[in-house]
Amino acid sequence: MPRRPENLHKAYHAHVYFGPETVDQARALVAEAGKHLNVQVGRVHEKLVGPHPAWSCQLAFSAAEFDKVIPWLDEHRGDLDVFVHGLTGDDLADHTTHAYWLGNDWPLHLEMFQRGRDPS
């Protein structure tokens, strides 16, 4: 079962996942989030970006907004899955240890964060 988001960090990203059949739903969701919440809405990527295994759009917000953003996203996301993670400066930890889900969890492509890490 996916871990539910917890407000433990100073800042967050929420990545709304979608595909060709749900792109309009995702566009509407992030547009509404931008109108009703204190979030920065990123580009709607209709391609794979970074470690994300689906098309996505990023919402950025602070810990002060967390208790408004997470319930709102959960209520309005419909059948879309949302990956939420803290921002600590450690990309690998942010996408693993500090990772949470609204909906289903997806396996991320973490190889990009593991290059050059000391295995000890």
Side-chain angles (χ1 to χ4, degrees):
M1 177 165 216
R3 284 181 24 185
R4 296 278 307 163
E6 296 179 74
N7 193 357
L8 304 173
H9 310 286
K10 291 182 181 179
Y12 294 86
H13 284 165
H15 301 272
V16 177
Y17 284 2
F18 57 92
E21 66 287 347
T22 55
V23 65
D24 291 336
Q25 179 185 357
R27 285 185 183 281
L29 176 67
V30 300
E32 286 299 304
K35 289 179 190 173
H36 297 290
L37 303 169
N38 188 15
V39 297
Q40 289 182 296
V41 179
R43 284 193 208 134
V44 175
H45 293 285
E46 294 185 40
K47 62 180 181 178
L48 298 183
V49 175
H52 305 290
W55 296 356
S56 63
C57 181
Q58 174 182 286
L59 303 174
F61 55 98
S62 71
E65 299 302 317
F66 184 96
D67 291 334
K68 293 177 190 165
V69 172
I70 296 302
W72 188 94
L73 279 175
D74 203 19
E75 180 180 339
H76 292 88
R77 68 182 177 80
D79 59 353
L80 298 174
D81 298 315
V82 181
F83 171 57
V84 179
H85 66 85
L87 297 174
T88 67
D90 181 336
D91 287 333
L92 182 59
D94 289 349
H95 290 80
T96 55
T97 307
H98 311 305
Y100 311 97
W101 294 90
L102 300 173
N104 298 305
D105 58 339
W106 293 56
L108 300 177
H109 302 292
L110 299 172
E111 305 82 23
M112 64 187 299
F113 302 132
Q114 295 171 335
R115 288 187 212 116
R117 284 181 92 78
D118 184 359
S120 58

